Amino acid sequence: MARDIEMSTKYDPSQVEPGRYQKWVDAGLFKPNGDQKAKPYSIVIPPPNVTGKLHLGHAWDTTLQDMLIRQKRMQGFDTLWLPGMDHAGIATQAKVEARLAEEGISRYDLGREKFIDKVWEWKGEYADIIHAQWAKLGLSLDYDRERFTLDEGLSHAVRRVFVKLYEKGLIYRGEYIINWDPKARTALSDIEVIHQDDEGAFYHVKYPFVDGTTFNGKDYIEIATTRPETMMGDVAVAVNPKDERYKDLVGKKVLLPLQGRHIPIIADQYVDPEFGTGMVKITPAHDPNDFEVGNRHDLERINTMNDDGTMNERAGKYNGMDRFDARKAIVKDLEDQGYMLNIEKITHSVGHSERTGVPVEARLSTQWFVKMKPLAQAALANQDSDDRVDFVPERFEKTFTQWMENVHDWVISRQLWWGHQIPAWYNKHTGETYVGEKAPADIENWDQDPDVLDTWFSSALWPFSTMGWPDTDAPDFKRYFPTNTLVTGYDIIFFWVSRMIFQSIEFTGRRPFKDVLIHGLIRDEQGRKMSKSLGNGIDPMDVIDKYGADALRWFLSNGSAPGQDVRFSYTKMDAAWNFINKIWNASRFVIMNLDEDTTATLPAKAEWQLADKWILSRLNDTVKEVTRLFDNYEFGEAGRALYNFIWNDFCDWYIEMAKENLTGDDAKAKQNTQSILCYVLDQTLRLLHPIMPFVTEQIWLEMPHEGESLVTAAYPVDHPEFDDQAAKEQMDNLIELIKAVRNNRAEVNAPMSSAIDILIKTTSETTKAVFENNQEYIERFCHPKHLEIGSDVTAPALAMTSVITGAEVYLPLADLIDLNEEIARLEKEAKKLVSEVTRGEKKLGNERFVSNAPAEVVAKEKEKLAGYREKLNATNERIKALKAQVD
């Protein structure tokens, strides 16, 4: 008796996906299994910022993680996928300040405490949105272990790390030139600065000698600058000590234009004598290189700028002006007073804040720093140990290594209110500094440093702080750390991956993760980066609403090889939906043709027919291949292996062949076929489940199954007893025959509904036996009127011929076609082929093309030309033979 099923005739994700995720969560299926004998496997999610909704990059990143964790869970590992979010200091504060600005309020109006309350409200709002998005994507996260970078537990870890690094002398406070964001009014680390080409100018300015000295007949020297607004902070002019041109000028003084201050000419190795005039102005408070020169020569540091990018009282008459307005005013004054020699327009690289987009200022500021060299050296040394971090693809290890080898001290203080406030206090009376995990006992005598730590400082601790560290006896820390795999984009190797590695090694003595899988960026169909300014961003939730989460996950998993960018395309989304629809309809057919008592239990091997042996062998190949490719993070290749097996082998061939037994009179053969169909479908759904969890679960629950969910069902394993090379070769032979007949039918427009004679001349006994033993398949798929198989078959005078492995296939066609019409059709085809041959010969006869094009392109053109010539010859021969029949 056939089974009753509730499956629509067309795949509809809106009927499949809603509600399923909550059932998984309620059943606790995403929690670790608690089996202490099982091997642990853990991933920590790269915590999304609570600045807004997730984008397609997040969807890609988390889909890959979910695929890994779902597969490992099914393979019996004790899996933990730990979720969480990042407070994202500067970015979140900027968002909240922008929202307040719309109401005409600033953070200063509210004060620190009330402003932070507002940010927590924002965090709650966007955390809810992100949770809903995670659910819609189907991410199998253990929410009981969810973390936030401002949780008390993580804050404790942050304080511990800060204090320990301070006690080791690896955190220090000092006045240095740092990158400054005048809009956010905070320091930035080097990697939070994005360089882009801007229009600018070299302003060539006279600096007159104070004592009437002349040089090259002039009473001044020429200095070029791109930032005249910083001139009021000039304290010297420098030349290279080996520059013979200027050796007599060292020690002389020049007048600082517009201000009249006397500044010395000094000699310093920093100056490049080949660049410009070989003379540079030194402004220690506004340039990192000048800062170092100033330190060597004990020069004053004159900071002429406020933290919001306006000029201060040290800028004289320009006090209060915006920096760029001050530039214009200073340039005008230089021109009016005769100091400007000329203005040379240039395009130059200017640093911009990654967060606010405004040009960054190099600004003298007192900040907290991490001394990076010892930490970087330890991280690099670890890469030569058994505890190394493996980068996938390997080439990204160079990115990590180069950054670590050339790392600068890391400025970790930020002039923000949202974040981990620095655990340092200054005594109101003595000025002494106290650093500790807890506030001083006599807190009334101390002021805490108002700054907060760089977001990446806490994110760098993520793999172990989320596991309970600094409590090294915490069960999760002991069980799941180090983690197994980190999945992230190549754009944050510096920001995050590197910092997790050196902090983990410093504080746990271990790597934070075994592998780091690096993926690229999602781009639009034209290959452009998605951005608000281009208006080409795509909301993954909109894609899911249209196609379903499984289709999006399939597209993302098959997008590209590790490390490569991927282009989003609705055409590819259509193809993804179409593939799932194919799976849905094939599954529906199989389930409808199962009896109530059918189970996914294979019949005895002795009862397997050729098609059964072949499909089980191909299934086993696919299981081994997909497992190997997942282990190597080659998800695109794994997807291709699954697609080929499901679409071609299972749907197009085995299911079609199975119809012979399903509709036949042999009850035992039907029962065996039902069991094999059920088994192969069950195993296929398990293979697919990590990629498309919703639809596979829905189908699996409709068919005979054991267990409550595919989430915790066993993943397919290698069955050596399924491997059957002979069956694969024989089946390939049979498929080759069927394809040859179908192709020839199509060429002469002979529909499958019309029966034709088929003569097969075999050239090997094995092939003869295969075709004779599977004659029912040839009859079903080729529809012969008369079928003849043998080694002594004679080719008819008028027939289409195909040469296949071990045989020649003849299709007599005289009674199916009008020969004159066929000749006309072939002559038209020959005309097209002549054009292609002429085009190919012309292209390959072009010496410039042959010499300049890549060798593989030339080779391909030659191959195409040979193919067209062969087709043309065969077509002409065919026309000749047909004309002979007409005559």
Side-chain angles (χ1 to χ4, degrees), residues 339-361:
Y339 289 110
M340 187 69 75
L341 289 165
N342 70 296
I343 300 173
E344 174 192 352
K345 295 290 183 185
I346 59 166
T347 299
H348 60 148
S349 180
V350 176
H352 290 69
S353 168
E354 183 207 25
R355 298 298 183 187
T356 64
V358 301
V360 166
E361 281 295 331

PDB file of all heavy atoms in Angstrom, residues 339-361:
ATOM      1  N   TYR A 339      54.866  85.221   0.678  1.00  0.00           N
ATOM      2  CA  TYR A 339      55.615  84.014   1.075  1.00  0.00           C
ATOM      3  C   TYR A 339      55.360  82.821   0.125  1.00  0.00           C
ATOM      4  O   TYR A 339      56.141  81.886   0.108  1.00  0.00           O
ATOM      5  CB  TYR A 339      55.223  83.582   2.488  1.00  0.00           C
ATOM      6  CG  TYR A 339      55.729  84.498   3.588  1.00  0.00           C
ATOM      7  CD1 TYR A 339      54.850  85.298   4.316  1.00  0.00           C
ATOM      8  CD2 TYR A 339      57.088  84.549   3.909  1.00  0.00           C
ATOM      9  CE1 TYR A 339      55.297  86.139   5.323  1.00  0.00           C
ATOM     10  CE2 TYR A 339      57.556  85.387   4.914  1.00  0.00           C
ATOM     11  CZ  TYR A 339      56.665  86.178   5.615  1.00  0.00           C
ATOM     12  OH  TYR A 339      57.133  87.003   6.617  1.00  0.00           O
ATOM     13  N   MET A 340      54.278  82.845  -0.603  1.00  0.00           N
ATOM     14  CA  MET A 340      53.935  81.700  -1.448  1.00  0.00           C
ATOM     15  C   MET A 340      54.685  81.787  -2.770  1.00  0.00           C
ATOM     16  O   MET A 340      54.555  82.762  -3.507  1.00  0.00           O
ATOM     17  CB  MET A 340      52.423  81.666  -1.717  1.00  0.00           C
ATOM     18  CG  MET A 340      51.958  80.398  -2.452  1.00  0.00           C
ATOM     19  SD  MET A 340      52.093  78.920  -1.429  1.00  0.00           S
ATOM     20  CE  MET A 340      50.682  79.157  -0.335  1.00  0.00           C
ATOM     21  N   LEU A 341      55.497  80.767  -3.056  1.00  0.00           N
ATOM     22  CA  LEU A 341      56.252  80.728  -4.316  1.00  0.00           C
ATOM     23  C   LEU A 341      55.381  80.161  -5.435  1.00  0.00           C
ATOM     24  O   LEU A 341      55.273  80.743  -6.501  1.00  0.00           O
ATOM     25  CB  LEU A 341      57.517  79.882  -4.133  1.00  0.00           C
ATOM     26  CG  LEU A 341      58.598  80.542  -3.252  1.00  0.00           C
ATOM     27  CD1 LEU A 341      59.628  79.520  -2.823  1.00  0.00           C
ATOM     28  CD2 LEU A 341      59.264  81.683  -4.011  1.00  0.00           C
ATOM     29  N   ASN A 342      54.790  79.000  -5.201  1.00  0.00           N
ATOM     30  CA  ASN A 342      53.843  78.457  -6.175  1.00  0.00           C
ATOM     31  C   ASN A 342      53.042  77.322  -5.538  1.00  0.00           C
ATOM     32  O   ASN A 342      53.420  76.775  -4.491  1.00  0.00           O
ATOM     33  CB  ASN A 342      54.540  77.976  -7.455  1.00  0.00           C
ATOM     34  CG  ASN A 342      55.369  76.731  -7.229  1.00  0.00           C
ATOM     35  OD1 ASN A 342      56.349  76.750  -6.489  1.00  0.00           O
ATOM     36  ND2 ASN A 342      54.987  75.637  -7.852  1.00  0.00           N
ATOM     37  N   ILE A 343      51.923  76.990  -6.194  1.00  0.00           N
ATOM     38  CA  ILE A 343      51.058  75.902  -5.710  1.00  0.00           C
ATOM     39  C   ILE A 343      50.990  74.851  -6.819  1.00  0.00           C
ATOM     40  O   ILE A 343      50.577  75.140  -7.941  1.00  0.00           O
ATOM     41  CB  ILE A 343      49.645  76.418  -5.368  1.00  0.00           C
ATOM     42  CG1 ILE A 343      49.729  77.489  -4.271  1.00  0.00           C
ATOM     43  CG2 ILE A 343      48.745  75.264  -4.928  1.00  0.00           C
ATOM     44  CD1 ILE A 343      48.395  78.184  -3.992  1.00  0.00           C
ATOM     45  N   GLU A 344      51.401  73.634  -6.459  1.00  0.00           N
ATOM     46  CA  GLU A 344      51.494  72.540  -7.444  1.00  0.00           C
ATOM     47  C   GLU A 344      50.391  71.508  -7.141  1.00  0.00           C
ATOM     48  O   GLU A 344      50.400  70.867  -6.090  1.00  0.00           O
ATOM     49  CB  GLU A 344      52.884  71.904  -7.307  1.00  0.00           C
ATOM     50  CG  GLU A 344      53.132  70.677  -8.126  1.00  0.00           C
ATOM     51  CD  GLU A 344      54.432  69.979  -7.692  1.00  0.00           C
ATOM     52  OE1 GLU A 344      55.188  70.543  -6.860  1.00  0.00           O
ATOM     53  OE2 GLU A 344      54.667  68.870  -8.188  1.00  0.00           O
ATOM     54  N   LYS A 345      49.427  71.405  -8.042  1.00  0.00           N
ATOM     55  CA  LYS A 345      48.320  70.466  -7.838  1.00  0.00           C
ATOM     56  C   LYS A 345      48.822  69.019  -7.898  1.00  0.00           C
ATOM     57  O   LYS A 345      49.588  68.657  -8.801  1.00  0.00           O
ATOM     58  CB  LYS A 345      47.236  70.662  -8.904  1.00  0.00           C
ATOM     59  CG  LYS A 345      46.530  72.021  -8.836  1.00  0.00           C
ATOM     60  CD  LYS A 345      45.646  72.123  -7.616  1.00  0.00           C
ATOM     61  CE  LYS A 345      44.882  73.442  -7.583  1.00  0.00           C
ATOM     62  NZ  LYS A 345      44.116  73.593  -6.337  1.00  0.00           N
ATOM     63  N   ILE A 346      48.361  68.187  -6.953  1.00  0.00           N
ATOM     64  CA  ILE A 346      48.770  66.774  -6.940  1.00  0.00           C
ATOM     65  C   ILE A 346      47.574  65.910  -6.525  1.00  0.00           C
ATOM     66  O   ILE A 346      46.586  66.396  -5.984  1.00  0.00           O
ATOM     67  CB  ILE A 346      49.936  66.516  -5.950  1.00  0.00           C
ATOM     68  CG1 ILE A 346      49.522  66.915  -4.515  1.00  0.00           C
ATOM     69  CG2 ILE A 346      51.212  67.200  -6.371  1.00  0.00           C
ATOM     70  CD1 ILE A 346      50.451  66.388  -3.434  1.00  0.00           C
ATOM     71  N   THR A 347      47.715  64.606  -6.796  1.00  0.00           N
ATOM     72  CA  THR A 347      46.810  63.617  -6.216  1.00  0.00           C
ATOM     73  C   THR A 347      47.659  62.786  -5.269  1.00  0.00           C
ATOM     74  O   THR A 347      48.705  62.261  -5.666  1.00  0.00           O
ATOM     75  CB  THR A 347      46.199  62.705  -7.302  1.00  0.00           C
ATOM     76  OG1 THR A 347      45.451  63.532  -8.205  1.00  0.00           O
ATOM     77  CG2 THR A 347      45.287  61.669  -6.697  1.00  0.00           C
ATOM     78  N   HIS A 348      47.256  62.692  -4.020  1.00  0.00           N
ATOM     79  CA  HIS A 348      48.089  61.955  -3.069  1.00  0.00           C
ATOM     80  C   HIS A 348      47.220  61.104  -2.145  1.00  0.00           C
ATOM     81  O   HIS A 348      46.005  61.303  -2.023  1.00  0.00           O
ATOM     82  CB  HIS A 348      48.977  62.916  -2.262  1.00  0.00           C
ATOM     83  CG  HIS A 348      48.226  63.931  -1.443  1.00  0.00           C
ATOM     84  ND1 HIS A 348      48.685  64.414  -0.253  1.00  0.00           N
ATOM     85  CD2 HIS A 348      47.032  64.567  -1.648  1.00  0.00           C
ATOM     86  CE1 HIS A 348      47.822  65.301   0.236  1.00  0.00           C
ATOM     87  NE2 HIS A 348      46.818  65.408  -0.591  1.00  0.00           N
ATOM     88  N   SER A 349      47.872  60.147  -1.508  1.00  0.00           N
ATOM     89  CA  SER A 349      47.180  59.206  -0.634  1.00  0.00           C
ATOM     90  C   SER A 349      46.939  59.856   0.724  1.00  0.00           C
ATOM     91  O   SER A 349      47.872  60.324   1.368  1.00  0.00           O
ATOM     92  CB  SER A 349      48.028  57.936  -0.465  1.00  0.00           C
ATOM     93  OG  SER A 349      47.374  57.025   0.379  1.00  0.00           O
ATOM     94  N   VAL A 350      45.680  59.889   1.127  1.00  0.00           N
ATOM     95  CA  VAL A 350      45.307  60.524   2.395  1.00  0.00           C
ATOM     96  C   VAL A 350      44.565  59.499   3.254  1.00  0.00           C
ATOM     97  O   VAL A 350      43.681  58.792   2.770  1.00  0.00           O
ATOM     98  CB  VAL A 350      44.398  61.759   2.148  1.00  0.00           C
ATOM     99  CG1 VAL A 350      43.933  62.363   3.476  1.00  0.00           C
ATOM    100  CG2 VAL A 350      45.144  62.798   1.322  1.00  0.00           C
ATOM    101  N   GLY A 351      44.937  59.418   4.533  1.00  0.00           N
ATOM    102  CA  GLY A 351      44.279  58.496   5.450  1.00  0.00           C
ATOM    103  C   GLY A 351      42.904  58.997   5.861  1.00  0.00           C
ATOM    104  O   GLY A 351      42.737  60.170   6.194  1.00  0.00           O
ATOM    105  N   HIS A 352      41.908  58.093   5.806  1.00  0.00           N
ATOM    106  CA  HIS A 352      40.543  58.430   6.239  1.00  0.00           C
ATOM    107  C   HIS A 352      40.116  57.445   7.322  1.00  0.00           C
ATOM    108  O   HIS A 352      40.525  56.285   7.316  1.00  0.00           O
ATOM    109  CB  HIS A 352      39.557  58.345   5.068  1.00  0.00           C
ATOM    110  CG  HIS A 352      39.730  59.426   4.052  1.00  0.00           C
ATOM    111  ND1 HIS A 352      40.835  59.509   3.224  1.00  0.00           N
ATOM    112  CD2 HIS A 352      38.948  60.494   3.719  1.00  0.00           C
ATOM    113  CE1 HIS A 352      40.730  60.558   2.431  1.00  0.00           C
ATOM    114  NE2 HIS A 352      39.591  61.171   2.713  1.00  0.00           N
ATOM    115  N   SER A 353      39.269  57.927   8.215  1.00  0.00           N
ATOM    116  CA  SER A 353      38.758  57.060   9.276  1.00  0.00           C
ATOM    117  C   SER A 353      37.869  55.984   8.680  1.00  0.00           C
ATOM    118  O   SER A 353      36.958  56.268   7.913  1.00  0.00           O
ATOM    119  CB  SER A 353      37.948  57.881  10.287  1.00  0.00           C
ATOM    120  OG  SER A 353      37.238  57.012  11.155  1.00  0.00           O
ATOM    121  N   GLU A 354      38.151  54.745   9.048  1.00  0.00           N
ATOM    122  CA  GLU A 354      37.352  53.630   8.556  1.00  0.00           C
ATOM    123  C   GLU A 354      35.895  53.770   9.007  1.00  0.00           C
ATOM    124  O   GLU A 354      34.984  53.347   8.323  1.00  0.00           O
ATOM    125  CB  GLU A 354      37.949  52.322   9.093  1.00  0.00           C
ATOM    126  CG  GLU A 354      37.249  51.080   8.587  1.00  0.00           C
ATOM    127  CD  GLU A 354      37.370  49.916   9.541  1.00  0.00           C
ATOM    128  OE1 GLU A 354      37.556  50.133  10.751  1.00  0.00           O
ATOM    129  OE2 GLU A 354      37.262  48.798   9.058  1.00  0.00           O
ATOM    130  N   ARG A 355      35.694  54.392  10.160  1.00  0.00           N
ATOM    131  CA  ARG A 355      34.349  54.466  10.746  1.00  0.00           C
ATOM    132  C   ARG A 355      33.548  55.674  10.267  1.00  0.00           C
ATOM    133  O   ARG A 355      32.377  55.556   9.956  1.00  0.00           O
ATOM    134  CB  ARG A 355      34.455  54.513  12.283  1.00  0.00           C
ATOM    135  CG  ARG A 355      35.096  53.278  12.884  1.00  0.00           C
ATOM    136  CD  ARG A 355      34.298  52.036  12.589  1.00  0.00           C
ATOM    137  NE  ARG A 355      34.876  50.860  13.228  1.00  0.00           N
ATOM    138  CZ  ARG A 355      34.451  49.625  13.036  1.00  0.00           C
ATOM    139  NH1 ARG A 355      33.459  49.406  12.210  1.00  0.00           N
ATOM    140  NH2 ARG A 355      35.017  48.603  13.644  1.00  0.00           N
ATOM    141  N   THR A 356      34.177  56.853  10.239  1.00  0.00           N
ATOM    142  CA  THR A 356      33.407  58.058   9.920  1.00  0.00           C
ATOM    143  C   THR A 356      33.693  58.599   8.534  1.00  0.00           C
ATOM    144  O   THR A 356      32.963  59.450   8.032  1.00  0.00           O
ATOM    145  CB  THR A 356      33.687  59.176  10.945  1.00  0.00           C
ATOM    146  OG1 THR A 356      35.074  59.554  10.833  1.00  0.00           O
ATOM    147  CG2 THR A 356      33.407  58.718  12.367  1.00  0.00           C
ATOM    148  N   GLY A 357      34.782  58.149   7.921  1.00  0.00           N
ATOM    149  CA  GLY A 357      35.103  58.564   6.559  1.00  0.00           C
ATOM    150  C   GLY A 357      35.841  59.879   6.449  1.00  0.00           C
ATOM    151  O   GLY A 357      36.254  60.270   5.352  1.00  0.00           O
ATOM    152  N   VAL A 358      36.052  60.589   7.559  1.00  0.00           N
ATOM    153  CA  VAL A 358      36.720  61.898   7.464  1.00  0.00           C
ATOM    154  C   VAL A 358      38.230  61.714   7.401  1.00  0.00           C
ATOM    155  O   VAL A 358      38.767  60.710   7.884  1.00  0.00           O
ATOM    156  CB  VAL A 358      36.364  62.818   8.658  1.00  0.00           C
ATOM    157  CG1 VAL A 358      34.875  63.045   8.733  1.00  0.00           C
ATOM    158  CG2 VAL A 358      36.881  62.248   9.985  1.00  0.00           C
ATOM    159  N   PRO A 359      38.965  62.696   6.799  1.00  0.00           N
ATOM    160  CA  PRO A 359      40.426  62.604   6.796  1.00  0.00           C
ATOM    161  C   PRO A 359      40.962  62.578   8.223  1.00  0.00           C
ATOM    162  O   PRO A 359      40.510  63.334   9.095  1.00  0.00           O
ATOM    163  CB  PRO A 359      40.863  63.871   6.057  1.00  0.00           C
ATOM    164  CG  PRO A 359      39.694  64.222   5.193  1.00  0.00           C
ATOM    165  CD  PRO A 359      38.487  63.838   5.984  1.00  0.00           C
ATOM    166  N   VAL A 360      41.902  61.679   8.445  1.00  0.00           N
ATOM    167  CA  VAL A 360      42.490  61.489   9.770  1.00  0.00           C
ATOM    168  C   VAL A 360      43.587  62.526   9.994  1.00  0.00           C
ATOM    169  O   VAL A 360      44.300  62.910   9.058  1.00  0.00           O
ATOM    170  CB  VAL A 360      43.065  60.057   9.870  1.00  0.00           C
ATOM    171  CG1 VAL A 360      43.975  59.887  11.064  1.00  0.00           C
ATOM    172  CG2 VAL A 360      41.928  59.050   9.919  1.00  0.00           C
ATOM    173  N   GLU A 361      43.723  62.963  11.228  1.00  0.00           N
ATOM    174  CA  GLU A 361      44.830  63.842  11.597  1.00  0.00           C
ATOM    175  C   GLU A 361      45.883  63.043  12.357  1.00  0.00           C
ATOM    176  O   GLU A 361      45.548  62.193  13.187  1.00  0.00           O
ATOM    177  CB  GLU A 361      44.338  64.980  12.512  1.00  0.00           C
ATOM    178  CG  GLU A 361      43.649  66.111  11.795  1.00  0.00           C
ATOM    179  CD  GLU A 361      44.575  66.871  10.855  1.00  0.00           C
ATOM    180  OE1 GLU A 361      45.793  66.922  11.115  1.00  0.00           O
ATOM    181  OE2 GLU A 361      44.067  67.413   9.856  1.00  0.00           O
TER     182      GLU A 361
END
